[in-house]
Amino acid sequence: MELRSRTIIVTGAAGGIGTSIVAACARQGARVAAVDRVTPTIPTGEGIPAEAVTPFVADLSEASGCAQLIAEVTDRLGAVDGLVNCAGVMRRGDLLEIDEDDWAATYAVNVDAVMRLCREALPSLMNSESAAIVNIASQWGLEPADGHIAYNSSKAAVISLTRSLARDLGDRGVRANSICPGEILTPMLQQKLDDNGIAESELAANIPLGRLGRPAEVAELTTFLLSDRASFISGAAVEIAGAQQVGS
Ligand SMILES: NC(=O)c1ccc[n+]([C@@H]2O[C@H](COP(=O)([O-])OP(=O)(O)OC[C@H]3O[C@@H](n4cnc5c(N)ncnc54)[C@H](O)[C@@H]3O)[C@@H](O)[C@H]2O)c1
């Protein structure tokens, strides 16, 4: 119960990785604000107390949506101790293919919303004894994958934003880290594999550990970084990719 009594916001809570992070935070005793633009499912099961998770619906691509969300969460659940920015969108294309709308939509969620939610939550976080931000970036933010210029560069921006925040606000007791997942087998990826007749083992063949990552493994790293066990870890970009190199 390492996150006992902490109020933690998790965005992208209806998604493959976000769902696991919400459940893991709840299992560790947190009061979780599960945020998505579609209503997140409340996790149930062993070790998840009833009432631990409160769903919030917000469109984080709107500046006003971010400000309203933080106000609503603090109003209903109290001051924020932890913020996990997991909402993300991916639009494909190189610079000749990607249009202004796709570029803007990518940056609105992957970068601008992260900046705004961090900023809006800071007054709360700076009063917390255990303030921690975890931003879910991507391995592709460290090393770009072909044909995803908006996504790659947005995730690189998240890594840099997180490091900047950690440096600027360390003396106010706020830790900030990013997580850089490789290929994680979410329900959406499974669906894509099924639709295209690709076996999971084909994708796994490029990963030295011989398999895709699981959402629960990203969630485990997230709760660790939120907890006091990570009390001297800040400004890090932690890769969780089974030793795969981008492009291999
Ligand atoms: N799955 C992977 O292999 C992988 C790898 C590297 C990084 N990531 C990152 O992990 C995070 C979660 O990925 P996932 O695979 O679970 O994706 P997902 O698509 O299943 O989940 C993303 C969630 O973000 C929400 N979202 C998108 N736009 C929003 C908006 N405007 N307002 C509110 N919510 C919004 C979606 O509704 C969705 O529930 C993303 O940031 C993604 O870039 C995933």
Side-chain angles (χ1 to χ4, degrees):
M1 299 290 271
E2 291 180 325
L3 305 177
R4 189 194 298 274
S5 306
R6 297 188 193 174
T7 296
I8 294 178
I9 298 177
V10 180
T11 74
I17 294 175
T19 302
S20 270
I21 294 175
V22 169
C25 289
R27 247 182 250 115
Q28 293 297 328
R31 273 185 301 275
V32 187
V35 182
D36 207 290
R37 69 179 162 195
V38 298
T39 310
T41 309
I42 306 284
T44 51
E46 209 181 321
I48 301 180
E51 316 288 316
V53 180
T54 308
F56 291 83
V57 174
D59 182 355
L60 302 174
S61 64
E62 303 282 340
S64 58
C66 296
Q68 272 166 22
L69 171 75
I70 300 294
E72 213 184 314
V73 171
T74 47
D75 197 39
R76 288 177 62 187
L77 303 183
V80 180
D81 301 291
L83 170 63
V84 181
N85 283 298
C86 183
V89 295
M90 179 194 277
R91 302 284 164 94
R92 285 169 206 284
D94 62 25
L95 199 49
L96 295 169
E97 293 160 341
I98 197 125
D99 62 23
E100 288 280 342
D101 288 348
D102 280 343
W103 184 273
T106 304
Y107 272 70
V109 179
N110 293 9
V111 184
D112 298 349
V114 173
M115 176 278 291
R116 289 186 181 119
L117 291 174
C118 290
R119 186 182 59 197
E120 298 296 330
L122 273 175
S124 251
L125 289 167
M126 288 189 300
N127 277 324
S128 168
E129 295 290 301
S130 48
I133 294 170
V134 177
N135 293 327
I136 309 297
S138 168
Q139 200 191 18
W140 295 4
L142 296 168
E143 188 58 43
D146 294 348
H148 290 80
I149 193 166
Y151 183 80
N152 296 337
S153 60
S154 73
K155 293 300 190 177
V158 170
I159 293 166
S160 181
L161 181 157
T162 310
R163 274 199 216 285
S164 300
L165 218 155
R167 290 183 61 81
D168 292 343
L169 293 164
D171 64 352
R172 313 292 287 268
V174 179
R175 292 187 300 107
N177 293 289
S178 52
I179 290 179
C180 302
E183 303 281 4
I184 308 298
L185 187 59
T186 57
M188 201 185 286
L189 178 57
Q190 182 67 63
Q191 188 65 51
K192 244 187 250 171
L193 294 177
D194 294 347
D195 292 348
N196 295 303
I198 301 170
E200 190 189 321
S201 55
E202 254 178 80
L203 217 54
N206 301 322
I207 303 173
L209 282 186
R211 64 172 178 84
L212 277 69
R214 304 183 191 104
E217 291 172 316
V218 180
E220 179 70 24
L221 176 57
T222 305
T223 54
F224 168 71
L225 289 173
L226 288 168
S227 79
D228 293 342
R229 279 195 294 156
S231 51
F232 200 56
I233 302 179
S234 195
V238 185
E239 212 173 331
I240 174 166
Q244 184 182 23
Q245 285 185 338
V246 174
S248 67

